[in-house]
Amino acid sequence: MVQRVAIIGAGSSGLASIKCCLDEGLEPTCFEQSHDIGGLWRFTEAGRICVYRSVITNTSKEMMCFSDFPFPEDFPNYMNHSRLLEYFRMYAKHFGLLRYIRFKTTVQSIRKRPDFSTTGQWDVVTETDGTVESAVFDAVMVCSGHYAEPHLPLDSFPGIENHFRGQYLHSWEYKDSASFQGKRVLVLGVGNSGGDIAVEISRVAAQVFLSTRSGTWVISRISDHGFPVDMMLTTRFHNCLENFLPSALMRWLRLKKFNTWFDHANYGLIPQKSPNLSLTVNDELPSCILCGTVVVKPNVEEFMESSAVFEDGTVEENIDMVVFATGYTFSFPFLEESVRNNCRSKYALYKYIFPPPLEKPTLAVLGLIELTGSIMTGTELQARWATRVFKGLNQLPPASRMMAEVAKKQQHLIKQYEIYIGYMDEIASCVGVKPNVLLLFLKDPKLALEVFFGPCTPCQYRLAGPGKWVGARNTILTQWHRAVKPLRTRVINDSSNHSLVFHILIIVAFYSYLDRGRTKNYLDHP
């Protein structure tokens, strides 16, 4: 029976892991090398990988909250890093998590004990203020994250090191736009970070060029009637359409939907590869392109002393600075080599969590997922499953079966993102907490309508099964209220009689929502 669990990192996944251990009666000890919680989301000026000063979440509060701890209703739908860190502190205080964290502690090594094949135990060596300690743990949860090391592919850009005389840096070094005043800047990569940084720099730079290898679909945080886009699109109803409609029809519908805001072909952004999965959330990028402060370019072929030559043969002169928004890699130098080799890729892990070859399933790697929704909520569900596996309440398949599934997944590496609801339901089925929508329609039709047609919020995985939360039902039924609450900061006097035209428009809007499978009663929010 597992008792003591070592947790590496006190970011969002580390905090969730501590809480899940406590829920299952395990004894967690979390090792955090910095002095505070928050991980990537705790902004600092220098010294560690973190978000930049102006970053805003690209998933809304209802879709990214911990499943049994919704955000306060007055919090904005999309938050800056300080507000999200405030939420982490509230979560840690509410569930009493801080007492289990050892701050300013670096994990030096994690190795299997000699009797691992029978006990599954680990030797964990740590260092705190120069003092080295060793302890035995029954299980380990690696929560150091997907953003451990900057990916700086200099070899893919000839001339950047030997000929280019300007400055280049990785996006993790970017904090704000102050040093880019009046510069001609080239940003490499059009993901979320690349798009955000290009937009922010364009306010002070002489010119910004945004280079993309394959393009992307750009969507706004704001959807129909001003609601958060992920609340409107991430529904079980839409997921059913994805699964049952012909793939060619779905591709056409996506193209039509994504091009509603602006024509991506005209803006040089239409994806050339993985056209259904490459998404960038950015509210301002199309406007910057339209105004010319950001110019979209193809991939760079080579760098000269002060210029960049692109694959289409065009050249941009007098480039002062280059920002590599080329992502991150992960590594676990503290794991012994044999174990580290089994974790060399997220695709080498069973359901992105467990290394299949281990004799005992007492190591879980959390957060190595790329979802079409919140990674934070996916990681929490991973932690719920992992702790139940550690305790022996859930069983993993035989190693041969796990390795066969891993091999199958590796054959489809081109699929960059996992569909959010599909992955969440897959892990929830392993835990025993996937909501039974048909049964809900029989027992609680009001709730069932919101679960199926409304957003697939994390609270859906607290309605039944292990870890059931009594507040889940009300949280789901009031989610639209919490989305609207922070917007209504100006009281509107609507006591006057509405015109007949206004009433007709309300009725048309209401039935339009029903046709789309959304069940919000728009008459409740005139």
Side-chain angles (χ1 to χ4, degrees), residues 60 76-78 220-233 257 283 479-480 482-488 513 516 518 520 522:
S60 65
N77 284 279
Y78 295 97
S220 172
R221 292 176 175 85
I222 307 170
S223 186
D224 300 340
H225 303 282
F227 288 108
V229 66
D230 52 358
M231 291 186 72
M232 300 297 282
L233 296 181
K257 176 66 176 178
D283 301 306
Q479 55 199 5
W480 292 107
R482 287 190 302 280
V484 172
K485 173 69 175 178
L487 306 176
R488 294 183 169 177
Y513 265 54
R516 296 184 186 185
R518 302 172 179 131
K520 303 180 305 300
Y522 207 70

Side-chain angles (χ1 to χ4, degrees), residues 325-354:
T326 45
Y328 298 82
T329 60
F330 61 88
S331 64
F332 310 118
F334 44 79
L335 292 177
E336 66 173 78
E337 186 175 359
S338 62
V339 179
R340 188 166 62 245
N341 289 337
N342 293 327
C343 304
R344 65 191 181 279
S345 164
K346 63 183 180 181
Y347 297 105
L349 302 171
Y350 179 62
K351 299 191 185 300
Y352 307 111
I353 306 171
F354 295 101

Side-chain angles (χ1 to χ4, degrees), residues 190-448:
V190 74
N192 288 310
S193 294
D196 284 349
I197 291 172
V199 166
E200 184 167 76
I201 291 176
S202 72
R203 300 189 183 107
V204 300
Q207 182 64 63
V208 173
F209 302 98
L210 180 58
S211 171
T212 174
R213 184 186 301 272
S214 57
T216 187
W217 297 111
V218 180
I219 62 174
S220 172
R221 292 176 175 85
I222 307 170
S223 186
D224 300 340
H225 303 282
F227 288 108
V229 66
D230 52 358
M231 291 186 72
M232 300 297 282
L233 296 181
T234 312
T235 71
R236 294 187 177 277
F237 172 73
H238 284 129
N239 194 57
C240 284
L241 294 181
E242 292 272 354
N243 291 332
F244 293 111
L245 289 181
S247 58
L249 176 59
M250 285 308 306
R251 283 194 296 271
W252 180 82
L253 290 173
R254 288 193 198 98
L255 187 146
K256 185 176 178 62
K257 176 66 176 178
F258 292 152
N259 277 328
T260 300
W261 188 18
F262 68 95
D263 191 317
H264 284 67
N266 289 340
Y267 282 60
L269 289 171
I270 193 165
Q272 299 299 306
K273 299 177 181 179
S274 302
N276 299 325
L277 299 174
S278 179
L279 288 175
T280 297
V281 180
N282 196 299
D283 301 306
E284 301 177 67
L285 181 58
S287 177
C288 290
I289 297 172
L290 191 65
C291 297
T293 57
V294 174
V295 175
V296 178
K297 302 293 292 187
N299 193 46
V300 174
E301 187 172 272
E302 66 174 322
F303 283 94
M304 309 303 284
E305 289 187 354
S306 62
S307 61
V309 180
F310 297 91
E311 289 181 344
D312 62 354
T314 60
V315 179
E316 294 297 343
E317 304 284 353
N318 302 318
I319 301 297
D320 300 300
M321 304 181 76
V322 177
V323 180
F324 282 80
T326 45
Y328 298 82
T329 60
F330 61 88
S331 64
F332 310 118
F334 44 79
L335 292 177
E336 66 173 78
E337 186 175 359
S338 62
V339 179
R340 188 166 62 245
N341 289 337
N342 293 327
C343 304
R344 65 191 181 279
S345 164
K346 63 183 180 181
Y347 297 105
L349 302 171
Y350 179 62
K351 299 191 185 300
Y352 307 111
I353 306 171
F354 295 101
L358 285 183
E359 302 96 313
K360 296 289 183 179
T362 57
L363 175 71
V365 182
L366 307 183
L368 298 190
I369 46 175
E370 293 183 87
L371 301 175
T372 56
S374 170
I375 294 177
M376 194 170 109
T377 59
T379 302
E380 184 204 17
L381 196 52
Q382 288 181 331
R384 291 175 67 184
W385 185 32
T387 50
R388 289 183 60 80
V389 170
F390 292 163
K391 196 171 182 180
L393 299 174
N394 292 138
Q395 302 294 324
L396 295 184
S400 58
R401 184 171 151 195
M402 289 193 289
M403 294 176 73
E405 181 173 324
V406 165
K408 182 178 180 180
K409 183 75 69 174
Q410 289 176 332
Q411 293 176 359
H412 299 84
L413 295 183
I414 193 172
K415 185 176 180 180
Q416 185 177 3
Y417 295 97
E418 288 285 340
I419 302 301
Y420 177 78
I421 295 178
Y423 183 76
M424 294 289 283
D425 279 357
E426 182 180 350
I427 304 302
S429 296
C430 298
V431 183
V433 296
K434 179 183 175 182
N436 187 328
V437 181
L438 292 178
L439 184 61
L440 274 180
F441 270 110
L442 296 176
K443 296 173 58 178
D444 194 339
K446 181 179 181 181
L447 177 62

